[in-house]
Amino acid sequence: MSKKNAGVFIGGLVVGSVIGTLTGLLIAPRSGRDTRRLLKKSTDALPDLAEDLSTTVQLQADRLSESALRNWDGTLTRLRDAIAAGQEASARTRDELNSPQSGVATESPASVSDHQV
């Protein structure tokens, strides 16, 4: 969806919401005074609702952060173990290749000048 189409969609969504809200208020079964009182109570409750929502979001973020740290610690431990095992295997292989019983020649190959061409 292009930016222009997204803007048109959001504009239509806002206009439709405003029209729907106004229509709902005009044909509501309550009197104007009751509707205004209800709107005032709803408006007064918004700060408490926002605070509750903020607290809930903070708790969820803390929980996710703790979970991520636990997972990271486990991953880091496994990575360190894998690196240590790789280093040990590399050292063993190097020792095996350098030992005289390995059958691998430890002398450097003859140079080209030693051979008759």
Side-chain angles (χ1 to χ4, degrees), residues 25-36 38:
L25 288 174
L26 290 175
I27 62 171
R30 295 185 176 97
S31 68
R33 180 178 294 148
D34 291 339
T35 302
R36 285 190 298 276
L38 180 65

Side-chain angles (χ1 to χ4, degrees), residues 5-73:
N5 289 342
V8 170
F9 175 76
I10 292 174
L13 189 66
V14 169
V15 170
S17 297
V18 169
I19 291 172
T21 301
L22 290 175
T23 303
L25 288 174
L26 290 175
I27 62 171
R30 295 185 176 97
S31 68
R33 180 178 294 148
D34 291 339
T35 302
R36 285 190 298 276
R37 190 178 314 132
L38 180 65
L39 287 174
K40 180 159 176 29
K41 285 182 184 179
S42 297
T43 305
D44 291 342
L46 280 178
D48 294 334
L49 181 64
E51 184 178 341
D52 290 345
L53 182 62
S54 173
T55 303
T56 302
V57 168
Q58 183 64 39
L59 288 173
Q60 289 294 335
D62 290 345
R63 195 173 301 149
L64 286 172
S65 176
E66 290 171 6
S67 174
L69 285 175
R70 278 193 308 272
N71 289 340
W72 173 250
D73 288 341

